[in-house]
Every structure is written in C-alpha cells, then in structure tokens.
Amino acid sequence: MIKSKTRVLFRLGDKIFPKFTLICSLIVVAVLVNILIILFIQAWPAIKESGFSFLVGRSWDPVKNAYGALPAVYGTLLSSILALVIAIPISMGAAIFLTEIAPSWLRSIASFIIEILAAIPSVIVGLWGLFVLVPVVRNPIESWLGTHLGALPFFQGPPFGFGFMAAAIILAIMIIPIITSLGRDVLKSVPGAQREAMLALGATRWEMISRAVLPYGRSGLIGAIMLGLARALGETMAVTMVIGNGYRITASLFSPGTTVASKLASDFSESSGLSLNSLIELALILFIITLSVNVIARLLIWRLTSVKGKAD
Amino acid sequence: MRHKSARKWFNLLMLGLNSLGAGIAIVIVCLMLGYIIAHGLTFINLDFITGSAVPAGQPGGGMHNEIIGTLILVGLGSIIAVPIGLFTGIFLSEFGTPFTVSVVRFATDILAGVPSIVVGVFAYAIIVKPMHSYSAFSAGAALAIIMIPVVARTTEESMRMVPGSMREAALALGITRWRAVVSVVVPGALAGIVTGVMLGVARISGETAPLLFTALGNSFGYSGLGSPIGALPLQIYRYALSPYKNWQQQAWAGAFVLVVLVLIISIAVRWLSRKRRV
C-alpha cells in the first residue's frame, strides 16, 4: 500500500518538477519583457509631451519642462566608441598572446590576472579613476595633447581632467578583460588543423595568426568586441565619477560630459513628475541601444559556433 | 635570403606588439589592485568595521551599518535569485525542448547584458513607486535580477558536463526522471553550481547603480525590509565624491574591504573549478 503510494507520488513528481522548472524559466523571460513594457509605460507621459524633440533636443531644463536627450546619447556613444578605440588593440593583442604566443604555464596565470580586473566593482574602479587617473589625465596627458595637437578640435579647451577623455580611458580599462576573455575563447575554438596547414606552407607564426587564425574567428571576434561595447554603453558608476557632469555636445575630449547612465545616476533620485518620466525615457533608450548591440553580438558568436559545428 | 629575414623581423615585431597588449592589461590590473590595497590598508581600522557614520568634518566613524546592509542585501538577492536561477539552469539542461531552450537561453543572455542602472530604474518603477518608499526589498529584487542569469548559465553548463551515462544508470535502476535529476545530476554538478552562486555574490556585492534609487542609503542601521538601507558600495560612492578628507579615506577603506572580498571569491572559484579546466 505504502509502496504504491510513494510510486504515485514519484510519478506525480515527474509531471510537476519539469513544469516547475519551466515556470522558473518563464519568470526570467517575463522579467526581460516586463522591463521593456514597464519602462515604456512609465516613460509614456514624457514621450507624449516631448515627442520627437526629445531625441534631438539639446537641453535638460526641468524649470522650462524642456527635455532633450541628444547630449546624453552623444556622450554615451562618444565615450564608448573612444573606449573601443583604446581597448581593441590591447585586448586583441592580449587574446592572441594568451592563445598563440604565451607558453602554457603562463596562459592560465595571465588569464586569471586579467579576469580579476573584470570582477572589480565599478564603483571601486571609479574611486581609483577619481583620485589616480583624473590627475594623470589632466597633466601630463591632456596638457601635452593640448600644447602639441591643440590645433585639432578634439584637443581644445582647458585640461580639466574630468571629461570624455577620462571616461573613455576608464571604460577601456573595464572592457579590456571582457573582450580579452571572449576573444581568447573564440581563438581557442579555431581548429588546430588551420594553424598546422599554414605553418606547413612555410608561414611564420604571425603570418599563421593573421591569415589563418584571425579570418577564421572574425565574426566571433567582432561579437566579442560588440559585447564589450554593450558593457561600455551601460556602464554607470565609474563613468559618473570621472566624466564631470556637463550637459553639452562638443568635439573637445577635454570637456566635461554626460552619458545616459551617468545622467540617470546623478539626477534620478531628485526628480519627480515629467522630469522623472523623461529620465525613464532615457533609461528606455539606453535599454534599447544595449539590447540591439547585445542581440547582434550574440548572433555573431552563435554563427561562429554553428559554423564550427558543421566543420566538425 | 633578404626577403626571408624581413618576414622574420616582421613576425617578431607583431608577436612583440601582441605580447605588449597582454603586458599592458596585466600592468593595469597590478597598478589598480596594488594602489587600492596599499591605500585602503592605511585607512582601515577597528573603528571602520564597528563604528557608525559620523557627521562631515569629524574624525573617526565607520561603515558598520553599511557592511551589515550589504550583507542583508546580498542575502536577500541570493534568496530570490538562487532558486530561480538554479531551476532555470535545470530546465535548460534537462527538460527543455530545443525551441524553449533557445528562447530561455537567449533571454538569460540578454538579461545578463541589461545595464545595471536600467535594472535599478525597473525596480524603482515596479516596487518603490507603488509602495511610495525606498526599501531594502526593492534593492534585493534589483540585485536578484542581476544575479539570476549568472546562476542559471553556470548551473546549465555544469549540469551538461555530467555524463549522460550517469543519468542512464540512475534511470536503469528504476528511479523516476526527476529523482534522477535531483539526486544524481545536481549533486554531480554541485561544484559548478556553487561556483555560479559565488560568482553571482561577487557580482552583486559590489553593484552600486541599481541601489541608488532603491536602497537609497541609511546610516542609522537596519530598520526593516520596507525601509531604506545602507550599503557599502553606495557609501563608497557618496564618500568618494564628498569634499571631506575623513570621508574619502573611509571610501578607500571600504574599497579595500570589497576588493578583498572579490579577490577571495575569485581565487576560491578558480580553486573549485581547477579540476574541470585541466
């Protein structure tokens, strides 16, 4: 009697348990969908009020109820793209070093050290940036660029230290470990036969890397870079602490600026009414930008793995 | 002959440049960690751990309440995120159809990429605003959303590494499928699951952006899940931007505590997963 009862119970478990895990998975999907819906609903008063001018407006003035997102979006894109310009050569070099050049005992130690950088909380990177990096950016970096390349529009104005330049360097530091470790995984997935074939043709090691390994992993490497970009676009604390909080559009990298994330971090808790709705609309814009970059990056990385599957 | 040597020089040059990239990355880590640890160490003392915040300009004081607050928030986040993440991972590895798996996995990856400040805005909109109060609970929920993808993906990956033969052996003994998962596959993947939880804890213990408008901060100690609560990273942020020397020094001490925590977890995770990597 008892035996059959437990058996029924276990059979029931086979019905219930998979459903239960499905429900938990659906919660994850629901959270993602709800972020989009809730942000949209909360931003709606601002969308209705400002309309298209929100996207092209250049001022953020709660007194006049005039809200324009352009300087924040500009700051986000400028600092992130500049960060990529700094981070790509360093992290590609590091990824190639870790898979192709380093002796095997060095590989795991070096990877571990670089990965620690990714684990340091953003606010602590910001603290370091505030007290160590910003003074260095002001002098010598900005003052040198100002005296020698001051004719270029990017290097004009007084060297503040706080500004796009400092933000870009901090962002570069934060995305180097991400691009490096993803890039390393991509290069690892390149079949050894690719390398051997190239070396057998008499290629030097660099020719082997540049003509056999990198072209094979190209889409995966681009995916890794885009995931780094997505991270840079949404990075908040470290940027907020060094970018200087100026709401303007200027070519000068010395100038204080704002990103969408830093605007949210510094204004959100003191806002209410339409100004709050407008900030939520900013968050919605940031969400949509990072979502698109993430989706493209994932698809690129998936394409590589499926190509690899076919090759096997 | 000459042609060949030019190629060789170029080869050496490019290999050197690539190694330089790795060198730069490692130097940055060492500079940053070295500075934070050396600098933080000079400002940390017993008062920092046991004392409460003091008004600006006064000497002494500490982050006792914020340390407790962070422990509560991380605990709260984990209580919500670990079960959901664990069962999502189990679903992805054991029960999903190819279609549902690709949808859920895609959602998990995308959720992992949502900027933490946007998660904070979301938690504000669904919890803080309707309840008209900043609260520890809303901050815990925001941290949970950030932690779930970490736990789900590491659980899935480590469960997939459990050999199929172990599942078959369990089923052949007449056990039902869910019992096989719960008592054979999950224990087999336990090291990986623990690793995932630890990575998640490391990630959320330093998160600041989602706490700005959920936890808000509270220097007077814990006063219920429905009230504002202080947190270590939040206090580091406030103190770092303050003009007072004493507060800035406490920010460094706080950074030291957080970095040591993150380092311990990173090394432990590496130690736990060393067998699987080899």
Side-chain angles (χ1 to χ4, degrees):
Chain A
M1 230 8 227
I2 293 167
K3 209 176 175 187
S4 73
K5 214 173 182 180
T6 48
R7 189 170 288 169
V8 167
L9 216 66
F10 276 10
R11 288 269 155 77
L12 211 63
D14 249 356
K15 289 213 170 80
I16 295 170
F17 190 69
K19 291 236 166 63
F20 183 67
T21 62
L22 175 68
I23 290 169
C24 285
S25 310
L26 290 180
I27 291 176
V28 177
V29 180
V31 165
L32 186 66
V33 175
N34 266 298
I35 292 178
L36 190 63
I37 296 172
I38 298 279
L39 289 185
F40 188 79
I41 293 173
Q42 296 284 333
W44 180 245
I47 297 172
K48 209 167 56 180
E49 180 77 25
S50 313
F52 188 66
S53 72
F54 186 79
L55 296 178
V56 294
R58 286 165 173 246
S59 67
W60 192 275
D61 193 343
V63 181
K64 291 182 192 155
N65 259 343
Y67 301 102
L70 200 58
V73 174
Y74 169 81
T76 303
L77 295 179
L78 178 67
S79 56
S80 301
I81 289 169
L82 215 56
L84 275 189
V85 171
I86 302 169
I88 288 174
I90 295 175
S91 38
M92 283 297 134
I96 291 171
F97 176 78
L98 291 176
T99 47
E100 311 289 334
I101 301 172
S104 55
W105 61 269
L106 188 59
R107 285 180 193 186
S108 61
I109 299 173
S111 311
F112 179 59
I113 293 175
I114 293 173
E115 272 162 23
I116 284 181
L117 187 54
I120 300 179
S122 167
V123 70
I124 292 176
V125 178
L127 180 72
W128 181 82
L130 185 66
F131 289 103
V132 181
L133 183 71
V134 165
V136 173
V137 167
R138 178 162 46 225
N139 187 15
I141 297 179
E142 286 187 348
S143 56
W144 188 89
L145 287 170
T147 34
H148 294 86
L149 299 166
L152 296 169
F154 317 114
F155 304 126
Q156 281 173 357
F160 282 114
F162 293 96
F164 291 116
M165 179 83 87
I169 295 174
I170 273 288
L171 281 177
I173 290 174
M174 299 187 76
I175 62 177
I176 282 171
I178 296 170
I179 305 180
T180 302
S181 65
L182 288 168
R184 188 200 56 198
D185 293 345
V186 167
L187 295 182
K188 262 190 194 165
S189 76
V190 176
Q194 288 284 109
R195 298 186 179 85
E196 286 154 19
M198 200 68 201
L199 289 176
L201 291 172
T204 63
R205 199 171 330 178
W206 172 250
E207 285 165 348
M208 179 269 286
I209 295 168
S210 63
R211 293 179 202 173
V213 177
L214 295 182
Y216 192 94
R218 193 183 327 133
S219 68
L221 291 175
I222 294 172
I225 290 169
M226 293 198 64
L227 284 181
L229 174 65
R231 172 76 195 272
L233 290 168
E235 182 48 56
T236 312
M237 302 318 296
V239 174
T240 309
M241 292 166 89
V242 302
I243 202 168
N245 205 9
Y247 206 69
R248 66 189 77 163
I249 297 178
T250 159
S252 172
L253 304 181
F254 297 177
S255 160
T258 309
T259 66
V260 174
S262 77
K263 185 78 183 159
L264 287 168
S266 46
D267 286 14
F268 198 91
S269 45
E270 284 122 41
S271 300
S272 58
L274 190 62
S275 147
L276 188 67
N277 297 126
S278 304
L279 283 171
I280 295 179
E281 191 179 350
L282 268 187
L284 181 66
I285 292 175
L286 180 63
F287 180 65
I288 292 171
I289 296 176
T290 50
L291 189 77
S292 342
V293 175
N294 265 314
V295 168
I296 297 171
R298 291 285 168 203
L299 291 178
L300 282 169
I301 291 181
W302 275 8
R303 207 178 71 179
L304 179 85
T305 39
S306 67
V307 167
K308 193 186 132 211
K310 271 175 211 155
D312 292 342
Chain B
M1 244 2 230
R2 208 207 224 144
H3 181 61
K4 190 180 169 190
S5 83
R7 280 175 57 209
K8 281 201 166 160
W9 280 115
F10 188 66
N11 176 44
L12 283 178
L13 175 73
M14 292 313 292
L15 293 185
L17 282 178
N18 282 310
S19 311
L20 186 67
I24 291 173
I26 290 170
V27 166
I28 290 172
V29 184
C30 296
L31 279 179
M32 192 185 284
L33 274 184
Y35 191 90
I36 294 166
I37 289 173
H39 210 65
L41 205 53
T42 56
F43 300 124
I44 199 157
N45 48 40
L46 197 63
D47 208 23
F48 178 81
I49 309 282
T50 58
S52 306
V54 294
Q58 282 185 27
M63 294 199 186
H64 178 73
N65 292 329
E66 283 72 22
I67 293 172
I68 301 292
T70 285
L71 291 178
I72 291 171
L73 288 179
V74 170
L76 204 56
S78 309
I79 287 173
I80 305 172
V82 170
I84 297 180
L86 179 68
F87 287 121
T88 304
I90 293 176
F91 175 80
L92 287 172
S93 150
E94 307 294 323
F95 297 118
T97 62
F99 174 72
T100 50
V101 165
S102 62
V103 169
V104 172
R105 193 185 291 155
F106 196 70
T108 331
D109 281 351
I110 298 298
L111 193 61
V114 174
S116 56
I117 187 122
V118 173
V119 174
V121 173
F122 175 66
Y124 174 88
I126 59 161
I127 302 176
V128 175
K129 214 174 170 197
M131 289 173 60
H132 301 290
S133 165
Y134 296 100
S135 61
F137 175 72
S138 59
L143 293 180
I145 293 177
I146 293 167
M147 188 174 176
I148 287 171
V150 182
V151 178
R153 287 314 300 269
T154 40
T155 300
E156 185 204 347
E157 276 163 26
S158 50
M159 286 185 63
R160 278 180 190 276
M161 276 194 228
V162 175
S165 54
M166 280 179 69
R167 292 182 185 82
E168 286 156 17
L171 292 174
L173 289 173
I175 209 171
T176 53
R177 194 148 165 242
W178 75 281
R179 285 287 295 176
V181 170
V182 171
S183 25
V184 177
V185 184
V186 169
L190 201 61
I193 295 171
V194 171
T195 305
V197 172
M198 286 167 64
L199 284 174
V201 166
R203 170 84 198 274
I204 63 173
S205 56
E207 275 293 347
T208 318
L211 305 184
L212 287 170
F213 19 89
T214 53
L216 195 69
N218 172 1
S219 297
F220 306 109
Y222 175 72
S223 50
L225 291 181
S227 323
I229 189 169
L232 197 52
L234 210 54
Q235 197 77 340
I236 293 174
Y237 173 62
R238 301 252 156 84
Y239 277 11
L241 294 180
S242 79
Y244 310 108
K245 264 262 134 37
N246 179 31
W247 280 9
Q248 291 174 0
Q249 290 171 352
Q250 287 196 31
W252 282 107
F256 174 80
V257 172
L258 265 186
V259 162
V260 168
L261 176 76
V262 164
L263 278 181
I264 290 173
I265 293 180
S266 299
I267 291 167
V269 162
R270 191 166 172 80
W271 185 78
L272 263 177
S273 55
R274 75 200 187 287
K275 269 186 235 151
R276 294 183 300 141
R277 280 198 190 186
V278 176

